Structure formats: C-alpha cells, structure tokens
Amino acid sequence: FTNLKELNLSKNKITEIPAEISTIKTLEKLDVSRNKLTSLPITIGSLFNLTTLVLNQNEIAKLPAEVGNLLKLTYLDLWGNELRELPDNIIRLKYTLQTLDLRVISFRPAEQDAIDMLLPNTKIYFSTGCNCK
C-alpha cells in the first residue's frame, strides 16, 4: 500500500490497530470509527501526512502522546469514546488542527476551558459539561 491515501475501516468490530500502520507513509485520511478500539498504537504518530483521523464511537480511554506528532492533522473526531483527558502535547497541533469533536464525552466545564486554551485556533465540539466527579 505504498501510495494509499485513504483507509476506511469503520464498522468492522476491530479491537486493535496494528503498529505496522506506520508503514503507510502516504496515508492522509484514516477512519476507524464504530469499532471496538480501546487504544491506539504509539506508531500512529509516524503518520506524518495524516490530515483526518476519525475515531468516533470506539472505547478509547487514552490517546498516545504521539498524536502530537501529527502536525498536518486538521480534523480529529473522538466523539463517543471513553476519554478523560487529552495528552499534553496535543498543544503541538494548535496551528493546524481546525476541528476537534469531543461530543458524548463527559468533560467538566473547567476541563473544557483548559482544552480550549490549549487549542485556541480549533473549533471544538463538546457535549454540555457536567459537574460530575
């Protein structure tokens, strides 16, 4: 797949993305939505040409810090996952990331504000914040 630009693996009950995904250096769009993923390989950060990453409706609890290496990423869809925080180095995407979808994830208002401050140039979609613990 040396020239592959788009890969859509949505709705396949996938539980894991192999680390070897990093060998697809030309990949620009990856859609693994509506699967059974609980994590991403750290090698995801080697997909330097990735502009679109769609991970919605999985069971991802934590993003690897290497997501901050995706400096061409303009669209990141995480809605409906089990996230409680974003990696600190997501700040590296503050000039390129245009859209971040975090709906159906329970971030408190203070957490939403902190994410807004990390990514001031990004349109971020949140669900209504809760005052939950």
Side-chain angles (χ1 to χ4, degrees), residues 84-97:
R84 295 293 164 241
E85 63 184 7
L86 297 178
D88 290 338
N89 71 345
I90 201 157
I91 194 170
R92 295 184 68 206
L93 307 180
K94 69 179 179 180
Y95 297 113
T96 56
L97 191 61

Side-chain angles (χ1 to χ4, degrees), residues 90-110:
I90 201 157
I91 194 170
R92 295 184 68 206
L93 307 180
K94 69 179 179 180
Y95 297 113
T96 56
L97 191 61
Q98 296 172 6
T99 305
L100 174 60
D101 195 336
L102 296 172
R103 289 177 289 184
V104 195
I105 300 174
S106 296
F107 285 114
R108 286 179 253 151

Side-chain angles (χ1 to χ4, degrees), residues 21-105:
I21 189 122
S22 65
T23 63
I24 311 173
K25 299 294 184 193
T26 55
L27 197 59
E28 295 174 4
K29 296 181 181 182
L30 176 60
D31 183 346
V32 288
S33 61
R34 300 181 72 181
N35 280 293
K36 303 278 184 198
L37 298 172
T38 57
S39 64
L40 298 176
I42 60 172
T43 57
I44 198 91
S46 298
L47 297 174
F48 300 120
N49 288 305
L50 208 59
T51 61
T52 301
L53 181 55
V54 182
L55 301 166
N56 70 54
Q57 298 183 64
N58 278 286
E59 300 165 10
I60 299 169
K62 185 175 182 180
L63 291 178
E66 289 76 9
V67 167
N69 296 339
L70 302 175
L71 299 178
K72 292 185 179 178
L73 199 63
T74 60
Y75 182 81
L76 178 56
D77 185 349
L78 295 167
W79 82 267
N81 277 283
E82 303 296 324
L83 294 170
R84 295 293 164 241
E85 63 184 7
L86 297 178
D88 290 338
N89 71 345
I90 201 157
I91 194 170
R92 295 184 68 206
L93 307 180
K94 69 179 179 180
Y95 297 113
T96 56
L97 191 61
Q98 296 172 6
T99 305
L100 174 60
D101 195 336
L102 296 172
R103 289 177 289 184
V104 195
I105 300 174

